[in-house]
Amino acid sequence: MNGNGTDRTDGNPETVIVGAGLVGVVTALYLAPRFGPVTLLEKRADPRRNSGGQRRSLVVMLSARGWRALSDLGVADAVRRICVPLHGRCGHLPDGRTRMTPYSRDGQPIWAVERRRLHHILLDAAEATPGVRLRFGQRVGSVDLDEPAVVVEDRHGSHRLTCRRVLGCDGAHSAARAALEARGTRAEVRTLDLAYQEIDVPAGRLDPTITHYWPSGKAMFAAHPLPSGKLSGSLFMRLDGPAPSYAAARGGQDLYETFAAHFPELTGIIPDIAEQLATKAVSTLTAVRCDRWVWRDTFALLGDSCHAMAPFMGHGMNCGFEDARVLVDCLDASADWAAGLAAYEKSRTEDADAISRLSYRHYFTMAGPPREETAAEVLRGRLTVLFPDRFVPLYERCAFTEESYASVLRDDQRLDRLVADLLARYGTELVSAPDDRLRACIPSPNPTTATPEDSVCS
């Protein structure tokens, strides 16, 4: 079974979680108090004792769904102390103008937190939780869904760890998911046509209470404040194709020249940008969609292992934390694990598809070149002002509520149809009509019966 002669079978923990990243640890913290011992297996070394090798984005965003989980687990106060509240995003446009977009209409912030520090807090909480066992340097090579068991490789060789159930929280390139794929599950794992470099942005030149981004149409730079006052930046460009792209840079086109041509303002804000572009790693973005998440009563996937998404809505981690919460809610409400896992899968797959779709779409919303708003966009904006409880901006609903992502997307599509119907019926003059006339044109809020023809507008 291994290269050094070690071949043993270990004991029987109640639950094995493959992957001790953010979602894996949150899942363990939810499960252990309710359902008994949990063993977390992580292929990397303990990050609290290994200062090098930062492999993931420096900053993640916490919104309502993430805070709900952290509050449930008793770590919200500790996490909030290391967060930066962000009240909106500022677009720095190519013509020198800026465009400020609040994250919410009532001033609520989202929160930026350094991934590493958040991870440490969660690991410390897991270590202090009875029934949770953390094991680092443990690479899971395969999962047996029937026994169930995992085959683990570590510095001593390979061994088989039997258990009652396995949960896969091991990211986009999940070894746990492979067990489902072997049983016929269809998984789409694709590298997006976008790549990025993490760029350090010095303090002092940019407002530290908001997210900043520079759209150029074919590339984008974004910067998120850190508690130190510095910002964590990311340069996004196409992976392949003509400049601006990383392929063009590999082909000999100077990356700094490309950067300076598209983001001239940033060359003055980041003095060592040429050096960073030459030395910082280029990372790709992976999207995952999986048509099955569970197997009978013994196996489930959570987080990026079943729904890795583009980062542009800031919901990958929040959605993964919500997976863990919904999983335990379904188990609490079910007679057994088979029913609970089936309810979890039914509840989450449509939501994950929706937020994944929205996340990728949001890149093009932010990166697109500035243009005049269309009549439909202006009319949508007016409706959210005139009917603030009925027409809530999509981003606000995703970030500040725990509503189903799928229902948020459906309502947004319904609003698109309403706006299109209104413009078809009344023409673009409706965009600048007085408030009273516009209110009179809006049909009943009953989505099953309302059409523009129901209105009394004249």
Side-chain angles (χ1 to χ4, degrees):
M1 183 179 290
N2 61 84
N4 65 2
T6 301
D7 185 353
R8 68 181 190 274
T9 299
D10 279 4
N12 186 23
E14 193 77 3
T15 301
V16 164
I17 296 178
V18 183
L22 297 174
V23 173
V25 180
V26 163
T27 303
L29 287 167
Y30 266 119
L31 285 175
R34 290 171 166 85
F35 301 105
V38 175
T39 295
L40 280 154
L41 302 177
E42 172 55 50
K43 64 184 178 182
R44 299 188 179 96
D46 188 338
R48 296 168 298 175
R49 296 165 179 81
N50 179 22
S51 58
Q54 176 75 37
R55 298 173 61 91
R56 300 294 302 277
S57 175
L58 292 176
V59 176
V60 289
M61 297 296 156
L62 273 164
S63 51
R65 300 164 204 271
W67 284 116
R68 164 69 183 278
L70 298 178
S71 178
D72 286 351
L73 301 174
V75 296
D77 289 343
V79 172
R80 200 174 296 272
R81 287 193 288 270
I82 63 169
C83 287
V84 177
L86 304 176
H87 294 273
R89 57 180 178 269
C90 179
H92 299 257
L93 307 183
D95 61 6
R97 294 180 296 126
T98 57
R99 179 172 58 202
M100 183 67 192
T101 306
Y103 283 129
S104 70
R105 294 170 298 173
D106 60 2
Q108 291 185 79
I110 61 172
W111 300 77
V113 59
E114 291 177 80
R115 175 188 290 272
R116 173 184 58 84
R117 298 179 71 186
L118 172 60
H119 196 194
H120 290 188
I121 288 173
L122 292 171
L123 287 170
D124 288 345
E127 205 163 54
T129 299
V132 176
R133 184 185 182 194
L134 291 164
R135 294 176 59 183
F136 295 96
Q138 307 286 306
R139 180 182 294 274
V140 171
S142 62
V143 175
D144 181 338
L145 295 177
D146 295 320
E147 189 167 0
V150 295
V151 175
V152 185
E153 301 168 4
D154 59 20
R155 60 190 180 89
H156 301 295
S158 290
H159 57 279
R160 186 178 183 87
L161 178 61
T162 59
C163 53
R164 290 284 300 278
R165 61 194 63 91
V166 179
L167 302 179
C169 301
D170 51 338
H173 303 288
S174 168
R177 187 182 63 240
L180 272 187
E181 294 180 66
R183 301 296 178 97
T185 292
R186 293 186 298 275
E188 180 186 8
V189 181
R190 60 190 179 98
T191 300
L192 300 179
D193 188 28
L194 288 170
Y196 68 97
Q197 287 176 287
E198 296 278 358
I199 302 293
D200 301 323
V201 181
R205 296 288 298 274
L206 298 170
D207 184 342
T209 67
I210 56 177
T211 296
H212 299 266
Y213 69 101
W214 287 258
S216 77
K218 297 180 179 179
M220 184 179 74
F221 190 91
H224 303 291
L226 299 170
S228 64
K230 297 180 181 180
L231 294 92
S232 173
S234 297
L235 169 63
F236 294 95
M237 294 196 304
R238 289 192 303 267
L239 183 61
D240 299 308
S245 72
Y246 286 106
R250 291 194 304 271
Q253 180 160 341
D254 187 271
L255 187 53
Y256 173 76
E257 289 181 4
T258 299
F259 184 91
H262 286 82
F263 309 107
E265 179 186 3
L266 287 166
T267 61
I269 293 174
I270 312 172
D272 63 344
I273 184 61
E275 179 184 351
Q276 291 199 56
L277 290 170
T279 58
K280 291 294 184 73
V282 176
S283 300
T284 56
L285 297 171
T286 302
V288 172
R289 187 180 184 279
C290 192
D291 71 348
R292 286 289 309 277
W293 292 17
V294 306
W295 180 261
R296 297 175 181 168
D297 65 344
T298 60
F299 182 87
L301 297 172
L302 300 90
D304 283 357
S305 65
C306 48
H307 57 64
M309 65 191 71
F312 305 109
M313 285 284 284
H315 276 265
M317 177 189 71
N318 292 279
C319 184
F321 286 4
E322 191 172 55
D323 288 346
R325 181 186 65 75
V326 172
L327 173 64
V328 297
D329 285 350
C330 290
L331 292 171
D332 285 344
S334 300
D336 55 46
W337 273 75
L341 294 185
Y344 158 73
E345 180 184 66
K346 182 177 180 181
S347 170
R348 296 303 290 162
T349 50
E350 188 182 12
D351 277 352
D353 286 347
I355 190 59
S356 296
R357 177 177 174 183
L358 290 170
S359 295
Y360 189 55
R361 189 177 82 181
H362 196 56
Y363 171 78
F364 299 98
T365 299
M366 294 179 65
R371 56 175 176 75
E372 292 297 321
E373 285 188 304
T374 65
E377 289 167 339
V378 175
L379 186 54
R380 277 181 63 112
R382 289 195 64 192
L383 292 179
T384 64
V385 173
L386 292 176
F387 301 89
D389 296 327
R390 181 174 168 190
F391 301 120
V392 181
L394 180 147
Y395 186 93
E396 193 170 318
R397 288 180 68 186
C398 287
F400 300 106
T401 78
E402 296 175 37
E403 296 177 66
S404 157
Y405 290 122
S407 68
V408 171
L409 178 57
R410 283 194 296 269
D411 287 349
D412 192 66
Q413 293 167 335
R414 189 177 294 120
L415 179 55
D416 276 342
R417 292 193 296 270
L418 171 62
V419 168
D421 288 345
L422 289 170
L423 290 173
R425 181 175 174 84
Y426 303 111
T428 56
E429 295 81 4
L430 188 62
V431 172
S432 56
D435 289 351
D436 287 347
R437 180 169 183 265
L438 181 53
R439 284 193 183 94
C441 292
I442 305 306
S444 160
N446 184 345
T448 62
T449 59
T451 68
E453 288 71 19
D454 295 328
S455 76
V456 294
C457 184
S458 59

